[in-house]
Amino acid sequence: MRKNSVKNTRINAEVQRELSTLIREECKDPRIHPMTSVVAAEVAPDLKTAKIYISVLGDEEAVQNTLRGLKSAASHLRSKLAKSLNLRNTPELIFVGDRSIAYGVSMSKLIDDVTAQLPDRDKEEEE
């Protein structure tokens, strides 16, 4: 199976959807932040490993604690994933912190700040 094949894309989406549900409903670890979302899942073509990109709404300490909690719960999540998905191999889960949402929010705020400082063009044209 190639990396960008339709089958691999479908498997990535299913793993992402299922892990999102499992993390929300099954994980009771207090280290895992309640505002944790699975941004993406990249399953290797041989189905041996999967990189799971996690975004946490919080500070850097919350991100690190959540990643530690998910790493310790990886075997439990993997077994639950094996029961819910019918795959030849259930991939080993590797959790990676993803700061793209926080980066996008900060960039949007910077753009809003800059546009608020610009003089209003409509008022200039009227004068």
Side-chain angles (χ1 to χ4, degrees):
M1 178 170 55
R2 289 175 300 163
K3 185 170 182 162
N4 293 326
S5 68
V6 174
K7 183 178 179 182
N8 196 343
T9 305
R10 275 198 329 255
I11 290 173
N12 289 344
E14 282 297 313
V15 168
Q16 177 183 353
R17 184 183 58 77
E18 200 61 39
L19 273 178
S20 178
T21 304
L22 288 173
I23 290 171
R24 186 177 61 248
E25 295 174 359
E26 296 284 331
C27 288
K28 304 298 182 205
D29 193 330
R31 293 177 291 183
I32 299 174
H33 196 274
M35 295 297 289
T36 300
S37 41
V38 179
V39 177
E42 288 181 3
V43 180
D46 61 356
L47 302 176
K48 298 289 184 191
T49 60
K51 276 189 181 178
I52 311 301
Y53 294 93
I54 300 294
S55 178
V56 178
L57 185 64
D59 59 352
E60 191 61 34
E61 182 182 348
V63 172
Q64 294 305 320
N65 286 338
T66 299
L67 288 175
R68 276 190 227 107
L70 288 172
K71 186 176 180 182
S72 69
S75 61
H76 173 71
L77 292 171
R78 185 178 180 191
S79 67
K80 292 285 189 179
L81 193 65
K83 292 176 184 171
S84 61
L85 295 180
N86 187 16
L87 295 174
R88 184 177 334 139
N89 296 322
T90 304
E92 177 186 343
L93 304 175
I94 302 166
F95 293 100
V96 178
D98 185 36
R99 302 294 296 167
S100 62
I101 294 175
Y103 179 75
V105 169
S106 67
M107 290 305 288
S108 178
K109 184 180 180 315
L110 288 174
I111 291 170
D112 290 344
D113 291 346
V114 168
T115 56
Q117 293 174 357
L118 292 176
D120 195 10
R121 290 185 179 170
D122 293 335
K123 289 182 182 177
E124 288 179 358
E125 291 176 3
E126 291 175 0
E127 295 174 357

